[in-house]
Amino acid sequence: MASRRAALFRETPTAALHRWVLGTAWALRPKRIANFITTARVMLAHVLQPSRALPDPTTLPADQEIIGIATDLSPDVLMDGYLRGLFPLGHLAPPKWMFPRERAVVRPGDFHISSRLRGMMRKNRYRITFDTDFEGVIAACAEPRRGWLSLTWITPRIMAAYAKLYDQGHVHSFEVWNSDGELAGGGYGVAVGRVFVIESQFFRESNASKIGFAVLAWHLAKWGFVLMDNKWLTPATERAGFKDIPRKDYLAQLPEHWEPPIHPGRWQSEADSKTVAAGPPEPTPAH
């Protein structure tokens, strides 16, 4: 496992230069220049007064989203960050602690599967697994996307940090396998109490990740999770039922106010896509 991670969790000098050039161009776009200024201010404050402590989101301006420098990505600090509604992000080093003004969320039981997608799922063309190939999934999520801004925030440091969380049972992946046994899509996220925070998804075949995402939602509903958090709303997640809520409402629902983490350990699939397409699950007691 260590040798496989070493082989996958890497970035060539050319790829790093490509990321820095595109990341700078992205940060300097007119619509994002305000974030660039905020980042510069946060980084300057960190240089003048270095701190490894997590920022307190409740003491910050209501419109500020970039609130600190993520110097420590150890498992305990990362999980503490998620419990505060924070997460690390950044195309350019170092990672920054993000605290979006709104969060795109849906209750797993309200996850919407379109009629067209249900039809595909009934064909049962793909095999969906959990926690079977986390390394392959996060490496695929880090690959360049389509379009000229093929940026990624999933750097080798990020991959290594989330691999440690995976080893501790906080991070989970879902894999979508085609009939040839190849990884056609997937994604990963962080289980924080009864919330599942989606980090990234990828697909190599059309609709593969959508099918896997729907199967994931079905299982989260069955296991007693109460919220799926996609961080930001996208056209695809909006069609699936996700809606933006103010971050103060999100903070009010954080898992520190609920029961301890549920469904610990490695996850296993309990239903195929055909079963998921047939309807919602019968919830099982938390364990």
Side-chain angles (χ1 to χ4, degrees), residues 133-145 150-155 159 173-174 183 185-189 198-204 209:
D133 189 8
F134 165 77
E135 290 75 20
V137 166
I138 195 171
C141 288
E143 292 174 356
R145 306 298 173 96
S150 56
L151 273 170
T152 181
W153 69 94
I154 307 173
T155 62
M159 288 190 270
S173 61
F174 68 90
L183 202 56
Y188 72 100
I198 300 134
E199 287 299 313
S200 186
Q201 298 184 62
F202 80 97
F203 68 91
R204 291 170 178 158
S209 64

Side-chain angles (χ1 to χ4, degrees), residues 6-21:
L8 289 175
F9 298 177
R10 58 187 297 272
E11 185 179 42
T12 66
T14 301
L17 177 61
H18 179 80
R19 176 170 55 81
W20 274 88
V21 170

Side-chain angles (χ1 to χ4, degrees), residues 115-132:
S115 298
R116 179 172 175 271
L117 188 63
R118 283 187 190 277
M120 296 178 188
M121 294 172 67
R122 290 189 185 102
K123 296 178 181 178
N124 225 13
R125 289 180 52 208
Y126 295 102
R127 181 172 64 92
I128 291 85
T129 61
F130 295 118
D131 295 344
T132 300

Side-chain angles (χ1 to χ4, degrees), residues 6 10-12 14 20 35 40-41 69 78 84 100-101 116 125 135 153-154 158 175 192 199 205-206 221 236 251 280:
R10 58 187 297 272
E11 185 179 42
T12 66
T14 301
W20 274 88
N35 278 344
R41 186 168 63 246
I69 304 301
L78 267 176
R84 296 173 185 229
R101 288 185 288 270
R116 179 172 175 271
R125 289 180 52 208
E135 290 75 20
W153 69 94
I154 307 173
I158 290 291
E175 301 86 18
V192 193
E199 287 299 313
E205 297 181 14
S206 296
L251 286 173

Side-chain angles (χ1 to χ4, degrees), residues 35 38 41 56-67 85-86 98-103 232 245-251:
N35 278 344
T38 301
R41 186 168 63 246
D56 182 357
T58 63
T59 64
L60 297 166
D63 61 343
Q64 187 170 332
E65 294 191 326
I66 300 171
I67 66 172
L86 313 179
M98 301 296 297
F99 188 48
R101 288 185 288 270
E102 294 182 313
R103 298 294 275 261
W232 287 287
I245 62 172
R247 63 186 180 190
K248 63 179 179 61
D249 294 344
Y250 180 80
L251 286 173

Side-chain angles (χ1 to χ4, degrees), residues 5-262:
R5 286 180 176 177
L8 289 175
F9 298 177
R10 58 187 297 272
E11 185 179 42
T12 66
T14 301
L17 177 61
H18 179 80
R19 176 170 55 81
W20 274 88
V21 170
L22 288 185
T24 302
W26 173 258
L28 293 175
R29 294 177 69 188
K31 291 182 178 180
R32 301 193 62 82
I33 195 69
N35 278 344
F36 181 82
I37 295 171
T38 301
T39 302
R41 186 168 63 246
V42 168
M43 292 186 71
L44 178 61
H46 180 74
V47 170
L48 296 176
Q49 191 174 3
S51 173
R52 297 178 69 85
L54 280 168
D56 182 357
T58 63
T59 64
L60 297 166
D63 61 343
Q64 187 170 332
E65 294 191 326
I66 300 171
I67 66 172
I69 304 301
T71 54
D72 188 347
L73 294 179
S74 61
D76 288 346
V77 172
L78 267 176
M79 291 306 297
D80 192 14
Y82 278 97
L83 284 168
R84 296 173 185 229
L86 313 179
F87 57 86
L89 187 71
H91 304 109
L92 307 178
K96 291 83 179 172
W97 287 114
M98 301 296 297
F99 188 48
R101 288 185 288 270
E102 294 182 313
R103 298 294 275 261
V105 300
V106 70
R107 292 189 174 275
D110 295 333
F111 188 96
H112 175 69
I113 304 174
S114 69
S115 298
R116 179 172 175 271
L117 188 63
R118 283 187 190 277
M120 296 178 188
M121 294 172 67
R122 290 189 185 102
K123 296 178 181 178
N124 225 13
R125 289 180 52 208
Y126 295 102
R127 181 172 64 92
I128 291 85
T129 61
F130 295 118
D131 295 344
T132 300
D133 189 8
F134 165 77
E135 290 75 20
V137 166
I138 195 171
C141 288
E143 292 174 356
R145 306 298 173 96
R146 296 179 177 87
W148 75 274
L149 263 178
S150 56
L151 273 170
T152 181
W153 69 94
I154 307 173
T155 62
R157 185 184 178 198
I158 290 291
M159 288 190 270
Y162 282 86
K164 290 180 181 178
L165 281 185
Y166 172 78
D167 291 341
Q168 292 189 1
H170 300 299
V171 164
H172 299 277
S173 61
F174 68 90
E175 301 86 18
V176 183
W177 307 90
N178 64 19
S179 57
D180 295 324
E182 300 167 334
L183 202 56
Y188 72 100
V190 185
V192 193
R194 292 175 177 266
V195 173
F196 190 78
V197 183
I198 300 134
E199 287 299 313
S200 186
Q201 298 184 62
F202 80 97
F203 68 91
R204 291 170 178 158
E205 297 181 14
S206 296
N207 299 300
S209 64
K210 291 180 181 178
I211 291 173
F213 201 28
V215 172
L216 169 67
W218 189 95
H219 283 80
L220 293 176
K222 179 178 177 60
W223 294 332
F225 282 80
V226 300
L227 213 62
M228 296 174 71
D229 171 18
N230 196 62
K231 301 175 181 174
W232 287 287
L233 195 65
T234 67
T237 53
E238 187 171 21
R239 287 191 293 270
F242 285 77
K243 295 180 180 179
D244 276 334
I245 62 172
R247 63 186 180 190
K248 63 179 179 61
D249 294 344
Y250 180 80
L251 286 173
Q253 300 182 68
L254 286 181
E256 62 185 356
H257 301 296
W258 300 333
E259 298 176 22
I262 57 174

